[in-house]
Amino acid sequence: RKEEASPEPLKWQGGGTTRNLREIVLGRCYSYLVEGRVKLGDKDCLKIWESLKAAFIHKNPCNATTKDYQPLMELASHPVPCNKSLFWSRTYDLVHLYSRSNHHFLTLEDTFLGYMLDGLSWCGDPSAPGINYESCPKWSECEGSSGSVFWKMASKMFAEAACGVVHVMLNGSIETGAFRSSSVFGSVEVFNLNPDKISEIRIWLMRDIGGPQSDSCSGNSIKKLRNILEERNFKITCEDNYRPVQLLQCVHNPGHPDCSLCT
Ligand code: C8R
């Protein structure tokens, strides 16, 4: 009698490659060319997909390298206008809500490259068909996971390109502090900002509506960030609960005491 085949255990701890990755990337690519936040010259969406695919297909998903992603970065790169770059850490929903409502600002996800791959996951598999749709390594599982290599590289490029006045939105409700030196912002972007091109860095420290005010502009974690940046010759300012962003938080929590008009 044949034993019922039991499903193979998952290789990796993270979710697998996003189904229909090719169609999603191509669709987002064409959409951005029509209605994206930055007007681009000609970009070849098929070539862009092919270069993403070539970066990971049939490969060990823990051994991704910057070399794998270099062609994609080059095909998708474009200039970012001065004064518009908006960095963030632990404020994903709020920062994108804000950048969608105020087109003066551009996050990495509002640039062509970030827009195409935001929220997707992908990884290779040395055995056929070369793409693992079941599981992918988490960032913590190995140094060279596709996602971490890609986002660190894209973030580095985005930081290098920033000029004029740049902004960063951090989360003041995180108990361990708003600035984390192991985050992509803290470990990649901070060290790739160019003091010769940037006149000022403005930090917005946003507390969650109804959340704790765990950190503030005078707290230790912001002090640490300030030290790193001042050491690198940047001019820094920090504002707690920057009003235009707070008003946007309040659109979603109009009745909350934190949102009463007199505060
Ligand atoms: N950046 C990094 N990670 C990004 C990203 C991005 O633009 N976009 C997405 N979707 N991700 P976090 P951080 C994914 O702790 O580490 C750039 C990645 O899977 O909230 O400081 C961006 O320019 C990543 O693990 O923030 C921004 O300024 C989480 O979302 C910083 O780096 C982000 O984790 C944010 O990175």
Side-chain angles (χ1 to χ4, degrees):
R1 193 176 67 89
K2 265 196 185 155
E3 284 288 328
E4 191 80 29
S6 54
E8 282 212 10
L10 291 178
K11 257 190 204 158
W12 309 106
Q13 290 166 19
T17 301
T18 308
R19 301 271 164 189
N20 306 306
L21 182 69
R22 176 179 186 273
E23 287 70 22
I24 296 171
V25 170
L26 284 172
R28 287 184 180 182
C29 181
Y30 292 119
S31 294
Y32 196 95
L33 295 180
V34 177
E35 60 199 20
R37 292 274 307 278
V38 179
K39 290 287 156 264
L40 302 175
D42 45 295
K43 293 280 182 193
D44 185 338
C45 290
L46 269 177
K47 212 166 154 188
I48 285 172
W49 160 251
E50 292 298 333
S51 78
L52 171 63
K53 189 172 79 173
F56 73 94
I57 192 166
H58 299 301
K59 297 187 180 173
N60 176 331
C62 270
N63 290 349
T65 64
T66 54
K67 204 167 143 252
D68 296 332
Y69 287 91
Q70 195 58 42
L72 171 64
M73 300 286 150
E74 281 164 23
L75 286 173
S77 83
H78 60 77
V80 174
C82 286
N83 306 314
K84 289 197 159 200
S85 302
L86 175 55
F87 298 91
W88 54 272
S89 193
R90 305 292 193 89
T91 49
Y92 181 90
D93 291 339
L94 187 60
V95 78
H96 294 111
L97 206 56
Y98 187 63
S99 80
R100 271 201 300 275
S101 79
N102 184 341
H103 281 190
H104 180 76
F105 296 104
L106 286 172
T107 65
L108 177 54
E109 292 68 31
D110 299 308
T111 69
F112 185 44
L113 186 62
Y115 178 90
M116 283 190 288
L117 291 166
D118 187 23
L120 306 180
S121 80
W122 64 90
C123 69
D125 191 333
S127 50
I131 298 184
N132 191 338
Y133 288 99
E134 303 308 319
S135 68
C136 290
K138 281 190 174 169
W139 284 38
S140 51
E141 267 183 284
C142 47
E143 271 290 309
S145 68
S146 346
S148 112
V149 170
F150 171 81
W151 284 111
K152 284 179 181 166
M153 228 177 141
S155 302
K156 177 170 182 275
M157 262 182 39
F158 186 58
E160 284 168 347
C163 47
V165 179
V166 308
H167 291 81
V168 53
M169 190 188 294
L170 302 178
N171 189 334
S173 289
I174 304 257
E175 272 170 37
T176 48
F179 175 67
R180 206 165 42 106
S181 38
S182 61
S183 66
V184 174
F185 174 69
S187 65
V188 178
E189 290 176 330
V190 158
F191 298 100
N192 284 284
L193 296 168
N194 182 345
D196 299 328
K197 295 200 297 185
I198 293 173
S199 55
E200 185 179 339
I201 300 174
R202 296 193 187 148
I203 304 167
W204 296 331
L205 190 54
M206 303 306 302
R207 162 168 62 125
D208 296 336
I209 297 298
Q213 175 97 46
S214 313
D215 206 351
S216 76
C217 283
S218 50
N220 282 332
S221 102
I222 298 297
K223 261 188 207 140
K224 193 169 149 199
L225 173 58
R226 215 182 251 282
N227 285 341
I228 297 174
L229 290 172
E230 281 171 352
E231 182 98 341
R232 300 198 57 224
N233 283 322
F234 289 106
K235 180 180 171 223
I236 320 295
T237 62
C238 180
E239 192 167 333
D240 285 303
N241 300 312
Y242 176 64
R243 185 83 169 148
V245 174
Q246 193 180 48
L247 290 171
L248 191 56
Q249 290 176 302
C250 287
V251 169
H252 298 268
N253 302 271
H256 197 280
D258 288 358
C259 290
S260 66
L261 286 172
C262 310
T263 57

